[in-house]
Amino acid sequence: MNAPWLGLGTLSVDQGLTLALLIGVGFGWFLERGGLGNARKLAGQFYLTDLTVLKVMFSAIITAMLGLFWLSKLGYVDLTLIYLPPTFLAPQLVGGLVFGFGFVMGGLCPGTSCVAAASGRIDGMMLLVGMLFGVFIFNEIYPLFTEFYASTPLGQVTLAEQFDLSHGLLVFAIVAMGLGAFVMAEYLENRNRN
Amino acid sequence: MIHSAAEGINTVLATVALTLGFGALVAGSPYEDIPEQDLPPVVASLMPADDARIDAVTVARWIRDRKPGLRLVDLRPAEDFEHFHIPTASNIPLEELGSHGISDQGMTVLYGADEEQTMRGVFILKALGAGSVYYLGDGVGLWLTQIINPTLYQQPTFEEQLQFEVQLEIAAYFGGLARTNVPRSEGYGESAEQGLERTMRRGCAF
């Protein structure tokens, strides 16, 4: 096994954080070049006129998923050393709704708001300030939500384990779903622009 | 021209993704482990039972309840044992375990300085034919973190709170001192030695 570098001790925590910073900057650069620092482009997602976000995200998911699957299968990555965030169903569903509401209202998500702010867009900067303010408020009122925050815990689960599916079947299904989504996105964009 | 080139690239990428995805369907799980029955018989005979790895709370309860036949063995060097050990433990340093041997009557719980030392002790005892062998997976550090210094980090999950309450109940019997509202950053990366030093500074004599 050669990876993950942090889990196997190839990299120290400091080196890992430095590398994460560089990868983050690279990620932001590519998002910006792809036009995802523009709230109008992101809002097009909800009007079905510009589905770039869907295409970018599905491309990233499929690339990372196939990369991890095959690198693990070939013995280069130890998947058991990769951190899996635990699932808390109800609070994460509510969190997702709040996130979606903010996304529609602001036209940017947390990552793209950083990209927009870094490229000088005022809406991005405002969203960034709002996001930090939201984090501050949440921390202040967190004691009121402690019970709900830790409710409906499922542990560190994957879709394959939860639904007792083969990992390979799930990978294939997500690839097929992604490619289907690309075709559908192209069709909708062409229809709604004309 | 540019448009058709991009379409060409997209087609190639989609084909690659579909091929790799179909291959995954055939390949199965990326988590597959070597089945135990495929291990050479000699190696398989040294493997501890699935339930042999126990936590410090279980050991603490066994000690408190004076479980019949319980033998607790500290595999660390004598000076480390003198510095600190789990109550009722006897000291057989790992280097002496092979020659010292151990009675196969009753049940033996092993712990070392860390997981590696502990597991080496388990393999030696299994090779000697010992039957009922248990071990503290992370060595003595597990006793320190679960019994002597049960810790509840800031913003605990439901499971962490439950685990903490279980540890708290048994820790009181051994003079443990709970720590609550501890920043998560403080707990990560602390070695067993650092945890022990911090515990000794507070004056706990176990």
Side-chain angles (χ1 to χ4, degrees):
Chain A
M1 292 290 174
N2 305 71
W5 291 338
L6 199 58
L8 293 172
T10 312
L11 286 183
S12 68
V13 173
D14 287 346
Q15 288 169 329
L17 288 173
T18 307
L19 190 60
L21 178 69
L22 293 175
I23 292 172
V25 171
F27 178 65
W29 190 82
F30 278 107
L31 279 182
E32 208 282 330
R33 291 290 84 197
L36 297 186
N38 182 343
R40 287 177 193 279
K41 196 171 187 66
L42 269 70
Q45 175 81 15
F46 303 107
Y47 299 106
L48 303 179
T49 53
D50 189 335
L51 292 159
T52 305
V53 176
L54 179 133
K55 289 187 246 179
V56 167
M57 289 304 164
F58 248 126
S59 301
I61 289 168
I62 290 175
T63 306
M65 180 183 66
L66 287 174
L68 280 176
F69 182 92
W70 283 107
L71 286 174
S72 164
K73 213 60 195 163
L74 296 172
Y76 289 106
V77 173
D78 185 349
L79 284 184
T80 61
L81 293 178
I82 292 179
Y83 178 69
L84 211 54
T87 298
F88 295 89
L89 207 53
Q92 284 168 352
L93 276 174
V94 172
L97 286 173
V98 173
F99 178 92
F101 185 71
F103 197 161
V104 175
M105 291 284 287
L108 294 163
C109 70
T112 50
S113 67
C114 292
V115 171
S119 52
R121 292 175 187 272
I122 293 172
D123 57 346
M125 293 176 198
M126 286 297 107
L127 266 162
L128 210 54
V129 171
M131 189 167 65
L132 292 173
F133 183 67
V135 169
F136 172 76
I137 293 293
F138 176 77
N139 272 283
E140 289 304 304
I141 60 173
Y142 171 71
L144 300 174
F145 299 112
T146 311
E147 201 174 323
F148 178 67
Y149 190 80
S151 64
T152 55
L154 297 183
Q156 293 178 308
V157 292
T158 61
L159 285 173
E161 289 163 4
Q162 193 67 14
F163 297 110
D164 198 20
L165 296 171
S166 140
H167 284 88
L169 174 64
L170 201 70
V171 167
F172 177 71
I174 291 174
V175 169
M177 193 165 68
L179 295 180
F182 293 157
V183 173
M184 181 61 77
E186 290 285 319
Y187 168 76
L188 287 173
E189 283 175 347
N190 286 333
R191 191 191 70 177
N192 293 334
R193 276 177 189 161
N194 297 328
Chain B
M1 181 67 86
I2 293 172
H3 191 253
S4 64
E7 274 188 358
I9 292 170
N10 285 346
T11 307
V12 170
L13 289 174
T15 308
V16 169
L18 204 57
T19 307
L20 290 173
F22 188 74
L25 185 62
V26 179
S29 170
Y31 287 99
E32 278 167 2
D33 293 319
I34 303 166
E36 198 160 316
Q37 61 266 30
D38 288 344
L39 291 172
V42 175
V43 178
S45 71
L46 297 179
M47 296 301 286
D50 288 342
D51 59 354
R53 184 187 179 106
I54 52 178
D55 62 5
V57 171
T58 304
V59 177
R61 284 181 175 152
W62 286 352
I63 297 170
R64 182 193 62 185
D65 301 341
R66 301 179 198 285
K67 192 175 179 65
L70 175 65
R71 186 189 307 105
L72 194 56
V73 176
D74 189 322
L75 299 168
R76 296 172 304 150
E79 56 267 30
D80 291 344
F81 178 80
E82 291 302 326
H83 188 49
F84 158 76
H85 61 265
I86 298 177
T88 75
S90 53
N91 183 218
I92 307 177
L94 185 66
E95 297 71 26
E96 299 170 21
L97 191 61
S99 55
H100 191 287
I102 210 155
S103 163
D104 60 359
Q105 300 295 311
M107 55 193 296
T108 304
V109 177
L110 294 179
Y111 71 90
D114 51 27
E115 177 150 14
E116 184 189 343
Q117 191 180 54
T118 307
M119 289 308 298
R120 286 169 70 183
V122 172
F123 290 139
I124 290 172
L125 278 197
K126 296 295 284 182
L128 290 173
S132 193
V133 178
Y134 296 85
Y135 63 98
L136 275 178
D138 294 327
V140 70
L142 198 61
W143 180 268
L144 291 168
T145 54
Q146 292 190 343
I147 307 299
I148 302 304
N149 286 310
T151 303
L152 189 65
Y153 291 107
Q154 287 176 350
Q155 301 180 3
T157 63
F158 183 64
E159 283 91 346
E160 285 172 340
Q161 278 178 328
L162 277 184
Q163 194 181 26
F164 178 71
E165 282 164 23
V166 169
Q167 292 168 1
L168 208 55
E169 178 252 329
I170 190 71
Y173 180 84
F174 290 92
L177 187 66
R179 300 191 304 149
T180 55
N181 204 29
V182 176
R184 287 184 181 272
S185 56
E186 195 179 308
Y188 295 145
E190 183 178 77
S191 66
E193 289 78 15
Q194 289 167 327
L196 181 57
E197 284 311 311
R198 186 170 44 72
T199 306
M200 298 301 264
R201 277 201 304 275
R202 79 163 203 244
C204 177
F206 313 106

